[in-house]
Amino acid sequence: MKVFKKISTVSYSFAIFSFLIFVIALLLILFSLDFLTGPKWSSIIPGLLTGFIIALFQAFLSWFEIKKIDEYDELKIKKILPDRKSSEYYGALISKAEKEIKVLGVTAQRFLEDFASQNPKAAENEKVLLKALEKKVKVQILVANKELLSGEDKTKAKSAEPRLKKLSSDSRTNEFFEYACYTHAPAHSIVIIDEECIVGPIFPNVSSRYTPAIHLKRDSQFAKYYIEYFESEWEEWKNNQAKIPD
């Protein structure tokens, strides 16, 4: 179906461009050779010529837009987020999770604050991570080792650590919740929720909520490397844990 769509788009575009160019060329020949004489034709032909030239220009712009959309579709990009401030956007995806949620970030402090609130008065969208765990959705969170952080990030890490430990040890959630620490400077932000994947950069001394992100389908070629990166980081942590003597 995809191949057919591409062939059709190229064929239709070629047919439209060919038709418009043919008509414009024909009108130019008729106009320059005075093939159709008379005041009536002298006013009609320039008008038609102008109209078809405008139509050709509009067809080119439309084709260019379709080409750009095809490029987005090829990479399976769903949306480009100018920032990551919208908890509603992530919350809606988490609430639909059925299998797994994987998060790689700096401290996960804001993630837990936004989606794992234990305040009885908190809104439902602030408890979606806990609801996901109740549905037996597997949750894995990777954060930076707090010893490698400084300033506000270190404060956030110390604030998030007790919450991470509680979720990983609580009998109601520990079967489906795990967290781990990587031992290098943060570089990427990754959120994987079933078939959805949101990725973006992490810049030193810049809160991730103010940096852009790309929402992709999980099977996107672009997302593939981020998913592999998450898995390799998680595997490295597991291997390091295995080396620690009991």
Side-chain angles (χ1 to χ4, degrees):
M1 180 64 94
K2 192 174 180 182
V3 174
F4 175 75
K5 181 183 175 183
K6 282 187 175 181
I7 292 173
S8 297
T9 302
V10 172
S11 299
Y12 291 145
S13 299
F14 181 76
I16 291 169
F17 287 140
S18 298
F19 172 75
L20 290 173
I21 291 170
F22 170 77
V23 172
I24 290 169
L26 180 63
L27 290 172
L28 281 171
I29 292 169
L30 292 175
F31 184 72
S32 61
L33 296 179
D34 291 330
F35 188 79
L36 298 174
T37 57
K40 181 179 178 181
W41 287 110
S42 62
S43 60
I44 289 177
I45 291 180
L48 288 173
L49 186 59
T50 303
F52 278 109
I53 290 173
I54 292 171
L56 180 63
F57 181 69
Q58 289 176 332
F60 174 76
L61 290 179
S62 298
W63 173 80
F64 184 75
E65 288 299 318
I66 291 170
K67 187 173 180 293
K68 295 296 290 183
I69 292 170
D70 283 346
E71 289 174 0
Y72 271 57
D73 288 344
E74 188 71 27
L75 288 174
K76 299 186 179 180
I77 295 174
K78 298 189 73 173
K79 190 172 183 178
I80 296 178
L81 307 172
D83 54 56
R84 287 172 258 179
K85 292 187 288 186
S86 175
S87 59
E88 290 82 6
Y89 192 87
Y90 286 83
L93 295 174
I94 294 169
S95 66
K96 296 174 185 175
E98 296 179 354
K99 297 178 182 178
E100 64 179 11
I101 297 169
K102 299 182 178 185
V103 177
L104 185 149
V106 182
T107 67
Q109 186 266 342
R110 190 164 61 91
F111 186 81
L112 295 172
E113 187 178 274
D114 287 345
F115 308 120
S117 174
Q118 290 186 312
N119 188 330
K121 296 182 180 180
E124 287 302 306
N125 64 304
E126 294 176 351
K127 303 175 184 178
V128 286
L129 187 65
L130 301 179
K131 296 288 183 183
L133 288 167
E134 288 176 9
K135 294 190 297 182
K136 301 182 178 180
V137 174
K138 185 177 180 181
V139 177
Q140 294 177 317
I141 294 182
L142 264 168
V143 295
N145 186 313
K146 68 177 183 292
E147 301 306 322
L148 298 175
L149 302 175
S150 60
E152 187 179 356
D153 284 340
K154 191 159 191 170
T155 303
K156 288 181 178 179
K158 289 179 178 179
S159 172
E161 189 175 40
R163 189 80 179 99
L164 291 168
K165 287 181 175 179
K166 185 175 181 181
L167 286 169
S168 63
S169 60
D170 192 318
S171 59
R172 294 169 298 178
T173 56
N174 64 356
E175 187 179 351
F176 303 102
F177 184 91
E178 291 181 282
Y179 86 96
C181 297
Y182 55 85
T183 55
H184 56 77
H188 303 288
S189 170
I190 303 171
V191 178
I192 302 164
I193 303 170
D194 290 347
E195 301 307 312
E196 311 294 328
C197 184
I198 301 177
V199 301
I202 291 176
F203 300 115
N205 304 317
V206 179
S207 174
S208 61
R209 69 183 298 167
Y210 299 115
T211 55
I214 303 176
H215 182 180
L216 307 137
K217 294 297 290 181
R218 184 179 181 140
D219 59 350
S220 162
Q221 187 66 22
F222 191 89
K224 170 186 172 184
Y225 299 102
Y226 286 92
I227 295 168
E228 289 177 353
Y229 179 79
F230 182 96
E231 298 298 344
S232 67
E233 289 287 328
W234 191 268
E235 197 61 32
E236 183 178 344
W237 171 79
K238 284 176 65 177
N239 292 336
N240 289 338
Q241 290 299 109
K243 295 175 185 176
I244 299 174
D246 295 332

